[in-house]
Amino acid sequence: PVASLLLVGMAIGPQGLSLLSPRVLSFLDPALPVALAVLGALVGLSVDVRALGGRRALGGALVESALTTGLVAAGIALLAPIVWPSTAAPLWVLASGLGLCAATSLTVPGGDPAEPPARDRRVVAVDVLDVLAPIVMGGLLLGAIPHGATLAAITFVGQAVVIVVLLAASAWLLLARATSDTEQRVFVFAAMLLVGGAADYLLLSALMSGLVAGVFWRLAGGPAEASVRRDARYVQHSLLVLVLVVAGARTEFTTTAFAIAAIYVFLRTAGKLLGGWAAARMAGTDGDRALAGHLLSPGVFGIAFALNLFRSGLPDATTLLSIVVLGTVGAELVAEIGRPLEAKSAEIVEAAD
């Protein structure tokens, strides 16, 4: 319940009951990079392109996320100066960040792609795979904040990826030699602390660092992969609650945030409908309407990336986080309204046939 937990965070945050005061939030903030790294690792452990429908599903997911990102970023870049004229951060960074936050729909990673019926598997595949490009592009965007859109930013991110791979390899070697479940669990959590902490220290994307580590562990295989998968899944729901409640508590209710959030919801809905139609054609799913409706739900990774931007020290990051939180709640309402309409439309089409 993404929207529900965000609303709970708003209610108990500094602008609500203040149970989560600024002082309490400052104590919780250091845990966020680790939570984001775990979520990224779960995506990396889950991504098997062959099991998820092959190149067609991957291509459909990339097209869908690119259409949504591009539409939201372009719309924000055009309309934001009207309602948000005094931005301290570069407009292209804010627009790109909001576009990437809007692109994903995945809520809880780590599921087994073989579980859904075959007719739904490609829909699930696009849902899982459309998070890949936004995480990678988000990592590059965070690298570009201190270095600009230059080769130095790509080099910096590449060096950080090498560091994460070395950390993941060290953890894999330790896990392969662990003699008990308790020892394995200690090594897994230590590895997540290192990956998330290194990303936070270098002002990089903890999501992308976790994704890189997760992909390495999945490809390396062995008992280490099973250990990481088991322990990461064990804590994922607690970390999701932490991420969503803290994001809700950090939300500021300003006219600017509400105005741009409304634009964000409208553009995201249009992008998901258009992207879902295109992805259905490429992935070969049964009916583009079902896929588009499935993708309208915003999921948690937009919030996760907004928190990444917040932790980077980007100017206006609090306003950007507020826009994404309010936009996520709005997008969830749109998805809930769309489900009965979609069901009714399907009934009419079935009766006509």
Side-chain angles (χ1 to χ4, degrees):
V2 174
S4 300
L5 289 170
L6 291 173
L7 292 172
V8 168
M10 295 178 197
I12 64 176
Q15 298 202 22
L17 300 175
S18 200
L19 296 178
L20 288 180
S21 64
R23 181 179 175 81
V24 174
L25 289 172
S26 68
F27 285 118
L28 293 175
D29 279 346
L32 292 177
V34 181
L36 299 178
V38 172
L39 295 178
L42 282 167
V43 173
L45 289 165
S46 305
V47 173
D48 186 342
V49 175
R50 290 183 181 178
L52 289 170
R55 294 180 180 178
R56 293 184 68 185
L58 177 61
L62 293 176
V63 167
E64 181 270 317
S65 62
L67 282 172
T68 306
T69 300
L71 185 60
V72 173
I76 294 295
L78 288 173
L79 298 174
I82 301 173
V83 292
W84 194 7
S86 56
T87 55
L91 182 59
W92 71 271
V93 174
L94 297 173
S96 301
L98 289 171
L100 292 170
C101 289
T104 64
S105 302
L106 183 63
T107 299
V108 180
D112 184 356
E115 287 178 1
R119 62 184 176 86
D120 295 331
R121 194 170 299 160
R122 286 179 178 172
V123 174
V124 175
V126 174
D127 185 22
V128 173
L129 294 173
D130 84 337
V131 78
L132 291 179
I135 289 179
V136 174
M137 295 304 296
L140 293 173
L141 178 63
L142 281 168
I145 290 174
H147 297 91
T150 62
L151 183 61
I154 298 175
T155 303
F156 178 63
V157 173
Q159 292 171 343
V161 167
V162 172
I163 293 172
V164 171
V165 169
L166 292 174
L167 291 174
S170 301
W172 184 81
L173 291 172
L174 288 172
L175 286 165
R177 290 163 175 75
T179 56
S180 67
D181 289 345
T182 302
E183 191 176 7
Q184 287 178 341
R185 187 165 288 116
V186 170
F187 287 151
V188 168
F189 293 148
M192 293 301 179
L193 285 168
L194 282 172
V195 170
D200 192 52
Y201 178 76
L202 296 171
L203 298 180
L204 287 171
S205 171
L207 276 174
M208 191 179 78
S209 298
L211 174 68
V212 170
V215 169
F216 175 88
W217 288 322
R218 185 179 63 78
L219 294 176
E225 180 205 0
S227 252
V228 174
R229 192 186 297 272
R230 177 198 64 202
D231 294 331
R233 285 181 178 177
Y234 180 75
V235 298
Q236 71 175 356
H237 293 293
S238 302
L239 296 178
L240 283 171
V241 172
L242 172 68
V243 165
L244 294 172
V245 171
V246 169
R250 288 284 185 188
T251 304
E252 293 183 351
F253 306 112
T254 63
T255 305
T256 298
F258 277 106
I260 298 184
I263 298 170
Y264 175 94
V265 172
F266 176 79
L267 294 173
R268 183 186 184 278
T269 303
K272 286 296 178 182
L273 292 175
L274 179 62
W277 175 84
R281 294 293 185 272
M282 294 189 67
T285 59
D286 295 332
D288 54 316
R289 185 180 300 157
L291 177 58
H294 183 71
L295 295 173
L296 284 178
S297 184
V300 73
F301 280 87
I303 297 292
F305 182 58
L307 283 171
N308 251 161
L309 288 169
F310 179 83
R311 292 286 297 172
S312 72
L314 177 72
D316 292 322
T318 302
T319 303
L320 186 145
L321 176 62
S322 302
I323 292 167
V324 175
V325 170
L326 295 171
T328 299
V329 174
E332 190 65 49
L333 290 174
V334 170
E336 290 295 328
I337 293 170
R339 287 189 184 103
L341 293 177
E342 179 187 341
K344 186 65 175 177
S345 176
E347 290 176 5
I348 294 172
V349 171
E350 185 178 354
D353 291 340

